[in-house]
Amino acid sequence: MTEKYGNHKSRPEISESLYSDFGTAIRKSGTTGEEYYYYSKYYTRYYIRAAVVYDIKIINFLAAKNIF
């Protein structure tokens, strides 16, 4: 499977998560052609990476809530 999809180590969310608590990126997928929100977290030896289609539901979910 790695051969087909390639190594994701150079992706921005992966690079960011190596030096921060986590990494994120929003970009168009080369595989599906859709825009995705990517999240990555590094755990000692492994990266956990998740992606979800970046649509209005996700935009609203990620928006800052200024409720006191």
Side-chain angles (χ1 to χ4, degrees), residues 2-58:
T2 302
E3 295 81 24
K4 184 176 178 182
Y5 296 107
N7 190 325
H8 289 56
K9 205 168 187 177
S10 65
R11 304 292 168 93
E13 67 278 4
I14 298 289
S15 300
E16 183 181 352
S17 67
L18 183 59
Y19 301 105
S20 301
D21 290 339
F22 59 90
T24 63
I26 299 167
R27 67 174 182 285
K28 188 175 181 177
S29 166
T31 306
T32 67
E34 291 188 81
E35 198 168 42
Y36 283 82
Y37 173 82
Y38 294 92
Y39 175 91
S40 173
K41 178 123 176 101
Y42 181 67
Y43 293 97
T44 311
R45 292 178 42 204
Y46 302 98
Y47 292 92
I48 302 297
R49 183 172 172 259
V52 64
V53 174
Y54 190 67
D55 60 11
I56 193 68
K57 292 177 193 172
I58 296 304

